[in-house]
Amino acid sequence: MSESVANFVSPSGGPELPQVRRLVTAIPGPRSLEMFARREAAVARGVSTTLPVFVTAAGGGVLVDVDGNSLIDMGSGIAVVSVGNSAPHVVSAVTEQVAAFTHTCFMVTPYEGYVAVCEKLNSLTPGDFPKKSALFNSGAEAVENAVKIARAHTGRSAVVVFDHAYHGRTNLTMALTAKSMPYKHSFGPFAPEIYRMPMAYPFRWPSGPANCGPEAAALATSHMTTQIGVNNIAAVLIEPIQGEGGFVVPGEGFLPALAEFCAENGIVFIADEIQTGFARTGEMFASSYEGVTPDLVTTAKGIAGGLPLSAVTGRADIMDAAHVGGLGGTYGGNPVACAAALGAIRTIEELDLVGRARHIESLMMPRLRAMAAKFDCIGDVRGRGAMLAVELVKPDGVEPDASSTVAVAKACHAAGVVVLTAGTFGNVLRFLPPLVIPDELLIEALDVLEDAFASVS
Ligand code: PLZ
């Protein structure tokens, strides 16, 4: 373990959780099962559970449950606690803020934290031009507001999205999301004026990964021109690496071609960096990998170390298109969440978590590639930084293998490693460790994963 990470995980005054995998009961244990029975009686079934282990403490790279088990966290609560759970700067900033005041509503009587978070976002996001930001609560809410702003700016209504996209669970963001089950099924009717284009998905591109980026871009721009009409398009909205859709890294050239097409045609290019943002991919924002400068960026998740906060950031003239009073919400940019964000961003900068994400990639990628060579069911290994995945397929082809994916995930869970699945076909295992996880735990998680593949193959 590097010294900075060791110090970080056990700070003076912070939670000192031993960075170990330790199982003292079956997973889930008896107390978790008891609580899960209560949960089933009290909580609506529509809210699902990946692993019914009830957590009492978490930090660094571990989750500790009510039965005393210590599990390795390879999910970060879906890419949220990149700085680790209860990161010291987050805890101290939140504690101070919660004691001073908890809420005034920024639209009624403002406070500095909100402005400071916007200043940080304006300087950290890609693009060397005047920017402004607005703060909200959830990722879906940020996406909704980015679309509102783009429509106000352009006076146009159409929004272009892509196959395998995920943008949220509200009515507009369900419409923007590709996958029906479980996100949209039985919940329509959906918002109009949403148009879906083919995604540059290298592993599944008919003529092969090498042609994927340019060919997909040509298709998308031709469809936009002929089927929608460029003068009707307010925004093109895309995740620079798709998250729920299966960690699809777009074929090279796809994002730059889309951004260029948008710039030529007065279309607002929106990067949904909700899952990819804040150091996760080994850049502060994943758009930077291909030098793409979005007009607007949506952020959430990793922004605030676990507190609910989201944002839209972008070109000042576009952000100012919405009339006074047109944007807002009771809780958007809540002072406690803003304090958490300032603590989280400080942590990312002080611990060089961008570099740490690249280190995680360098540690995990060779192991995942070696597993792909060993196990026939792994068809593809992909991702960037600490946002990595393997796609499982039936032997000798690309037919998705969801049942093996679930089996490998379950074997990892039983062994005390929290992994998540993803993908339109449910056949992607994804890895999103906290960026402060000690190397030893990562290596142990990979050992467990390899055993899980061996047991399922
Ligand atoms: N945009 C790119 O990844 C959230 C969803 C989990 P909210 N992804 C996790 C689930 O099953 O609900 C996400 C995302 C991207 C938007 C969102 C939405 O963010 O904070 O969940 O609303």
Side-chain angles (χ1 to χ4, degrees), residues 78 137-141 143 166-169 183 239 241 243-244 272-276 298 300-301 430:
I78 322 189
N137 302 288
S138 65
E141 211 186 338
V143 173
Y166 183 90
H167 298 291
R169 292 177 182 269
Y183 306 122
E239 301 151 86
I241 298 176
E244 305 308 301
D272 181 344
E273 293 252 17
I274 286 166
Q275 192 152 161
T276 50
T298 56
K301 290 186 182 281
R430 56 170 157 170

Side-chain angles (χ1 to χ4, degrees), residues 12 46 55 154 238 258 351:
S12 54
V55 173
T154 56
I238 190 163
L258 290 180
L351 296 183

